[in-house]
Amino acid sequence: MLNPNQNRLDYGQILTPPAGFQLDFAVGTTYSLDLDALVGACIALGLSEETDSALLNNPICLLEALRSTGDKVALFCESGQIHLPNNVTPLYVLLEKMVFQVTTRKHRGISRYPSFHPKFWLLRYVNDEKEIMYRVAVLSRNLTFDRSWDVTFCMDGWVTDDITDKNEPVCDFLSYLSNFAGDKKLAIRRMMRELPYVQFELDSKEFHDFDFIPVGVKAQDGSYHNITDYPLFSDSFHEVLIMSPFLSNGIIKDFNNRNPYINHSEYMLITRAMSLNRLKAADCSNFKIYTLKDAVVDGESLISEENATVLQQDIHAKVYMVRKYSDVDLYLGSLNASHNAIHGNVEFMIRLRSKNRYLNLEKLSEQIFCGPVDAASNPFQQVTLAQEATDTEAAETQNLLDGVIKELARNNPHADIVDCGDTFEAHIHIGIFQTPYQIQISPLLSNKRADLSEEVVFAGLSLTQLSEFYKVTVSDSGTSITRVLMIPTTNMPDDREKAIVSGVISDKHCFYQYISFLLGDDHMLSSLESMELQKEGGSRSRSTGYQLPPLYEKMLQTAATNPAKLKEIDYLLKTVSADGVIPEHFEKLYDTFRKVVKLDD
């Protein structure tokens, strides 16, 4: 179940539609977001390929993945926690319609802004018979390329005629998200209307029941969903296992002291070495404490021809298991064993109900440790607080700089675009923002940069350099962090997307490539075919790389087997603006096919 040597899951496997189904709409949440990782998610959602597929290297395939998912995905993240992508391309402008930043309000009793911290997906799929299938995924993993160890739970459900109250907490969570959803609000509310009729199936002998647990959002009766209402934080127990990378001493102390009248209790805590200095020995005296071995944290060496990169890894999973008599509850999701997580953040967890014969401390720890605790294969080591002393100054500095970006996001910056003829100006209105740190801002698609001030103007931008994404760098005494901030923008030119698409579909050869890829039954096969034809086209005129007869044959086959797919060509005809790209007679050919298969009907 949780054996890291055997039970590995690719993020794309969670999102990829089942055989015979296509994505209709998806709601996803993450604390931090890597735009490259979101592109990989679009490959899985739109093309049913792996997130690290070779399709990522083909701009035509990338365009189709982003085009096909743009209106079907609403991805919510913590405001100011978008990470700078490694390979920025103008196509990332198409991500703007998917990404929504969530800005939380400061609560009394917590030391910093609460975080929007859930890792959650709700996906709606449909097939040709109009059958509707839902998938829910509760994760501890952000949508980034972090290599830390995480945990995921997924299950599928079907729309039925029977009403269930199991999904009410999910509806409450979606209601909260809809406040930030812009033009995707209607699609989310459609899900909310349908969810009472969706029956999710555990399909597991180990678990007989489940509960969805959003944290920090309003319920339908006006109260707030609070995980402290569940037995995990209120009942006594015979066994407890806590896996959490980040800790608060008071939370662990509560577990440590909760069982004054139960003589035979066992306690296990699995965390990061850097978090141990937050604990006091007297407040966790009952716990056996484990951290990953240094050799595991140091990671795996990924060697390429250009360089060698060592990626560190640690635990990032949040797992709680409590057993009382024969009843066992397993809680999975985003919630750390920290004060801010439990009493401030927006989180999402799932509670899985089991029995002692299927799940208990011994069985679960053996899964995590890959066998007995003293086995050589165990990636974890038992530690005491005296053995571990870590320097957290660098981490605290980064938290301070992250806090500056959160403050900046809450200053509600906005921008507008001014058309200057051949170029454009982006006017960013920051307002009064006082900070002792140095802050620079730059358009994501331009090398221009400026120091932050009440109003920042970037002049001389081309149409394809305009974006709502901006790089923000905060620096202090040699330490700096860079994040991407989405700034709401007015007067964005309507033909910006056309210019970006025309940059990819720049000649007849690329046009034919896109049509061939679009109509291919297998996206990977079509991609390989198009790349091979592109190589061949290098030895002859690109304009003669394709001819209408083979394309006519492919369109004829599509008209017979999947006529609705032909309508997707509309996007290309409407967005390609350069002269001489659309082949002569193609539009007439396409109109003929539209009439034959009655697409307009």
Side-chain angles (χ1 to χ4, degrees), residues 41-57:
C42 293
I43 292 283
L45 289 166
L47 307 182
S48 298
E49 296 291 345
E50 296 180 1
T51 54
D52 58 352
S53 166
L55 301 184
L56 285 169
N57 301 319

Side-chain angles (χ1 to χ4, degrees), residues 463-494:
L463 183 59
T464 56
Q465 290 178 321
L466 301 179
S467 172
E468 291 190 337
F469 291 125
Y470 289 85
K471 294 175 284 188
V472 177
T473 301
V474 183
S475 305
D476 176 48
S477 303
T479 301
S480 66
I481 64 168
T482 299
R483 297 286 185 263
V484 175
L485 195 64
M486 281 191 76
I487 298 180
T489 302
T490 56
N491 301 320
M492 191 70 80
D494 295 334

Side-chain angles (χ1 to χ4, degrees), residues 169 171-173 175-176 214-225:
C171 290
D172 295 338
F173 186 58
S175 179
Y176 173 83
V215 177
V217 302
K218 272 190 177 182
Q220 295 178 21
D221 62 3
S223 64
Y224 276 83
H225 286 280

